[in-house]
Amino acid sequence: MEQISNYVNGQLVAPISGSYLENINPAEGKVYSLLPDSDERDVETAAVAAQSAFQSWSQMPLAKRASILLKIADLIDRDLELLAFSESVDQGKPMKLAESVDIPRASANMRFFATASMHMAAESHLMEGEAINYTTRTPIGVAGCISPWNLPLYLFTWKIAPALASGCTVVAKPSELTPMTAFLFSKLCMEAGLPAGVLNIVHGLGKKVGQAIVEHPVISAISFTGGTVTGKTIAATAAPMFKKLSLELGGKNPNIIFADCDLEEALSTSINSSFSNQGEICLCGSRILVERSLYDRFVSDFVKRTKDLAVGDPLDETTRLGALVSEGHMQKVLSYIELAKQEGGTIACGGERVKVEGRCASGYFVAPTVITGLPQNCRTNQEEIFGPVVTIMPFDAEEEVIAFANSTAYGLSATVWTNNLKRAHRLAHQLKSGIIWINCWLLRDLRTPFGGMKQSGVGREGGWEAMRFFTEAKNVCVKL
Ligand code: NDP
């Protein structure tokens, strides 16, 4: 059985404890590889390696640093098929999705930040003939990057690429549920000639490895993507140590549909925004709010299309929804469906585990589920489910839908479907979300800031925001 290694100081190494955890293929419900059950000793070794690599990496000429990161991007493209296959086996998503979205976006992350680093500019401010201020931005040191399981390589590279491009060295931890692509990535880094210690990948449990990264005194910035509860623990640990923090957390995103929208586009995109990656994308629209005059028609068409979505073997070309990431997560999603029934909801379609024939007979599949008839303030409509489950609710007026949309503790993204230009802009300004999509979903320009409001996180990633996060600004004031 394949055994995943940590990547520390440029070498693939076993965990110091010698212990391993089982890595399960969720489509089969079977163990298919082993990953290091690392602990604080492995984090210590990684932090020491990162600290000793910092000086030469941060002082390496920009073009040379960028060329190594670009080489890694090229290698990701070269190994697209293997990486997509591994991500599908690790996470349960359709391989086709990994091939067309996750892996290409991972190489795009590397490429974007490698080239951005070559164009970063610092400001200067002239004080009317009296003095000139100039600002320098230097890499902060060793950064800790912790990523979740839903888009494994994409979100892993989204964190480490700006850190490395800014001149930081990194200690990173992918989710223990999906370690395989990060392991393959470490081999690509070695092949690309990334100097030893610049990136260190320590596999294992969040409570051991993640916590040790957050607590380590040498690590001065933490970039974390994951659940809101974990985010709170990390903030509580890091704040008294005065670490820089970027937290990208959960969402309960509204998808608002006005009667004057282009219905075909709204329907087909809403199917994607509800069920892509089995609904396991923080940006999925899990609450669909439809103007009352369109409500019945929308629900009927949406349910019809949902029933047509093929659930099955992630390696099958025709599969639209693969397996959920773990048995525990499947049980959580199913328990929310039960909760919705108790709260008075009607299951318009789905609502149960799906038994797939053949090799996937023991996999963790859940039918795409549409629930109607729930009030806004019930738990099903307020808490993040993070699975193939959406609710649809009617609304009568613009002010009402804005209040509904803003009613949760989250504020990650929102989508609005309308052909009324003024209304689109009005809503964009009033919705409390970090990203607003008008007549589209999941279009991402890497130059734009990315992040959530309220309990969806603090800080912004993407573009200069990400590069600046990994640097420290210093102002020099020179008397003229
Ligand atoms: P978790 O918060 O459970 O875990 C995220 C990462 O943190 C994992 O690597 C985990 O390790 C680690 N971790 C767990 N406990 C600690 C700790 N005490 N200290 C440090 N690290 C720790 O999230 P999930 O992996 O379940 O991911 C799903 C969540 O991520 C959803 O809420 C989703 O909305 C959110 N998300 C947010 C995005 C955004 O950009 N805002 C994007 C994608 C997802 P391990 O799992 O190995 O134990």
Side-chain angles (χ1 to χ4, degrees):
M1 189 173 292
E2 187 167 13
Q3 200 159 285
I4 288 171
S5 304
N6 287 333
Y7 172 51
V8 177
N9 204 16
Q11 306 284 322
L12 295 177
V13 294
I16 292 169
S17 66
S19 311
Y20 286 82
L21 300 162
E22 293 182 333
N23 188 22
I24 293 171
N25 169 351
E28 295 187 15
K30 284 190 194 139
V31 178
Y32 86 102
S33 62
L34 298 172
L35 72 137
D37 183 10
S38 312
D39 58 33
E40 70 286 352
R41 291 170 295 170
D42 303 280
V43 173
E44 174 64 25
T45 318
V48 168
Q51 197 177 22
S52 25
F54 177 69
Q55 193 168 359
S56 60
W57 180 248
S58 58
Q59 287 175 9
M60 185 181 276
L62 272 180
K64 188 164 177 214
R65 208 157 71 199
S67 76
I68 297 172
L69 301 179
L70 289 169
K71 172 86 176 149
I72 297 173
D74 291 343
L75 295 176
I76 294 175
D77 290 343
R78 183 198 69 189
D79 288 357
L80 171 75
E81 210 170 314
L82 170 67
L83 289 164
F85 172 79
S86 305
E87 185 144 311
S88 170
V89 173
D90 237 14
Q91 201 256 342
K93 70 176 68 211
M95 178 169 163
K96 218 169 133 193
L97 182 70
E99 226 167 14
S100 58
V101 179
D102 299 47
I103 308 303
R105 285 192 178 197
S107 67
N109 286 340
M110 298 306 296
R111 220 165 255 127
F112 175 84
F113 287 108
T115 49
S117 67
M118 311 262 282
H119 301 277
M120 198 152 165
E123 313 90 71
S124 77
H125 299 90
L126 192 61
M127 293 172 71
E128 293 106 27
E130 201 182 336
I132 184 162
N133 293 275
Y134 64 86
T135 307
T136 57
R137 290 184 189 277
T138 48
I140 195 160
V142 181
C145 298
I146 303 173
S147 57
W149 48 259
N150 60 330
L151 302 163
L153 191 61
Y154 175 28
L155 291 177
F156 188 71
T157 51
W158 176 242
K159 310 205 147 292
I160 63 171
L164 297 176
S166 303
C168 289
T169 54
V170 172
V171 178
K173 188 194 99 61
S175 170
E176 136 247 350
L177 295 174
T178 54
M180 190 56 88
T181 45
F183 172 53
L184 296 173
F185 183 82
S186 51
K187 294 185 183 177
L188 300 184
C189 290
M190 292 166 84
E191 189 180 341
L194 189 71
V198 169
L199 171 65
N200 303 274
I201 303 176
V202 184
H203 294 273
L205 296 168
K207 289 200 165 68
K208 278 206 251 179
V209 177
Q211 189 70 22
I213 291 175
V214 178
E215 285 173 1
H216 201 287
V218 155
I219 299 175
S220 40
I222 302 289
S223 172
F224 168 81
T225 298
T228 296
V229 174
T230 317
K232 279 184 192 165
T233 309
I234 290 176
T237 309
M241 299 176 82
F242 303 104
K243 295 194 179 198
K244 233 174 162 183
L245 265 185
S246 171
L247 302 174
E248 297 295 336
L249 309 175
K252 187 73 181 174
N253 310 309
N255 177 10
I256 302 170
I257 298 172
F258 284 93
D260 67 356
C261 70
D262 180 326
L263 184 58
E264 178 49 41
E265 266 187 60
L267 271 166
S268 59
T269 306
S270 295
I271 289 286
N272 287 335
S273 67
S274 303
F275 302 121
S276 283
N277 206 37
Q278 304 76 241
E280 297 166 325
I281 302 180
C282 54
L283 302 166
C284 275
S286 51
R287 295 181 291 148
I288 307 181
L289 302 156
V290 186
E291 195 167 7
R292 196 173 299 274
S293 57
L294 181 66
Y295 181 76
D296 289 341
R297 178 165 175 208
F298 184 91
V299 171
S300 143
D301 288 0
F302 188 84
V303 168
K304 213 177 290 164
R305 288 176 194 223
T306 302
K307 285 179 177 167
D308 286 343
L309 296 172
V311 180
D313 188 336
L315 301 180
D316 185 330
E317 280 270 298
T318 59
T319 293
R320 286 291 300 278
L321 279 86
L324 297 195
V325 72
S326 67
E327 186 171 13
H329 188 58
M330 176 184 71
Q331 295 305 347
K332 177 189 153 188
V333 170
L334 291 172
S335 76
Y336 267 105
I337 295 172
E338 283 313 304
L339 174 71
K341 289 183 200 161
Q342 285 160 25
E343 290 182 320
T346 302
I347 308 296
C349 66
E352 72 281 303
R353 184 174 180 176
V354 176
K355 281 276 168 206
V356 173
E357 300 293 315
R359 81 172 181 101
C360 295
S362 304
Y364 314 131
F365 298 88
V366 172
T369 300
V370 179
I371 305 170
T372 57
L374 284 170
Q376 282 301 323
N377 56 3
C378 66
R379 280 183 57 204
T380 311
N381 271 327
Q382 294 290 316
E383 296 176 16
E384 186 184 44
I385 300 173
F386 214 56
V389 179
V390 286
T391 60
I392 313 189
M393 288 149 292
F395 68 87
D396 293 299
E398 199 176 300
E399 308 74 58
E400 182 192 25
V401 79
I402 292 168
F404 284 172
N406 289 339
S407 70
T408 73
Y410 296 105
L412 188 54
S413 72
T415 304
V416 180
W417 293 93
T418 179
N419 277 317
N420 180 331
L421 183 66
K422 283 189 175 176
R423 173 156 62 198
H425 286 294
R426 266 199 312 273
L427 260 84
H429 285 286
Q430 291 181 73
L431 291 171
K432 290 193 176 13
S433 301
I435 310 150
I436 314 285
W437 278 295
I438 307 287
N439 298 326
C440 59
W441 177 71
L442 212 60
L443 275 181
R444 286 280 299 123
D445 181 327
L446 299 185
R447 291 168 300 184
T448 60
F450 174 88
M453 295 181 175
K454 301 194 277 180
Q455 291 194 18
S456 288
V458 292
R460 289 289 177 275
E461 299 183 349
W464 301 130
E465 310 266 351
M467 300 290 288
R468 284 185 175 169
F469 174 76
F470 291 107
T471 61
E472 275 179 317
K474 181 191 286 174
N475 187 61
V476 181
C477 179
V478 184
K479 181 96 176 77
L480 292 177

